[in-house]
């Protein structure tokens, strides 16, 4: 069964950078929207950045100018480059993607397992 696989989280000092990656674990038919969400302890999950198949991008206001979302459509992979990280960026980051597993399946929403990002000195 196809899953979304994330990588790139970790511990970084304030002002540092991290790059997250997300891709399906196997072949798929058609990738649509991809996005990154995050959830800090005792807070609701929030949308960090979203990129459509055509490249339209939306960012959470607090990350504008610091984070860059991108995708490689040939690899069905999304990236989140996080620069100038702050302690308040500490959270579990989740990849979100909408795609069809095969030409005969319905479009579905998939979530990654989450990757911890901790910003601390």
């Amino acid at each position: 069964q196809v899953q979304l696989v994330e990588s790139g989280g970790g511990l970084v000092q304030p002002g540092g950078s991290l790059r997250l990656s997300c891709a399906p674990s196997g072949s798929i038919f058609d990738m649509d929207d991809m996005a990154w969400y995050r959830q800090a302890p005792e807070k609701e999950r929030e949308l960090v950045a979203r990129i459509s198949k055509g490249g339209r991008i939306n960012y959470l206001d607090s990350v504008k100018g610091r984070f860059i979302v991108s995708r490689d459509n040939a690899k069905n992979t999304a990236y989140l480059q996080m620069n100038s990280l702050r302690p308040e960026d500490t959270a579990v980051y989740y990849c979100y993607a909408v795609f069809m597993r095969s030409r005969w399946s319905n479009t579905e929403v998939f979530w990654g397992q989450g990757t911890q990002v901790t910003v601390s000195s």
Side-chain angles (χ1 to χ4, degrees):
Q1 185 166 342
V2 175
Q3 298 177 335
L4 277 181
V5 179
E6 302 150 346
S7 62
L11 172 65
V12 64
Q13 292 186 342
S17 298
L18 283 174
R19 189 192 195 208
L20 307 182
S21 300
C22 168
S25 58
S27 62
I28 66 165
F29 178 66
D30 183 46
M31 180 68 78
D32 201 337
D33 282 1
M34 301 187 79
W36 292 95
Y37 285 74
R38 69 185 182 188
Q39 188 166 18
E42 300 181 357
K43 292 189 176 181
E44 293 188 356
R45 190 173 296 190
E46 61 182 356
L47 176 64
V48 177
R50 186 183 191 112
I51 182 167
S52 71
K53 186 176 183 179
R56 186 178 68 246
I57 291 173
N58 300 99
Y59 289 108
L60 178 69
D61 283 347
S62 63
V63 308
K64 287 180 180 177
R66 301 188 297 123
F67 290 11
I68 301 171
V69 64
S70 61
R71 62 189 284 170
D72 182 334
N73 288 333
K75 298 179 180 179
N76 292 315
T77 300
Y79 305 95
L80 185 67
Q81 177 66 43
M82 303 184 293
N83 302 318
S84 302
L85 282 161
R86 305 167 180 168
E88 54 263 39
D89 294 318
T90 296
V92 177
Y93 283 70
Y94 296 91
C95 180
Y96 162 103
V98 180
F99 60 87
M100 299 168 64
R101 301 187 203 202
S102 72
R103 66 174 66 245
W104 301 281
S105 64
N106 296 322
T107 298
E108 298 176 74
V109 172
F110 292 82
W111 289 91
Q113 79 282 2
T115 185
Q116 178 70 46
V117 171
T118 302
V119 185
S120 175
S121 55

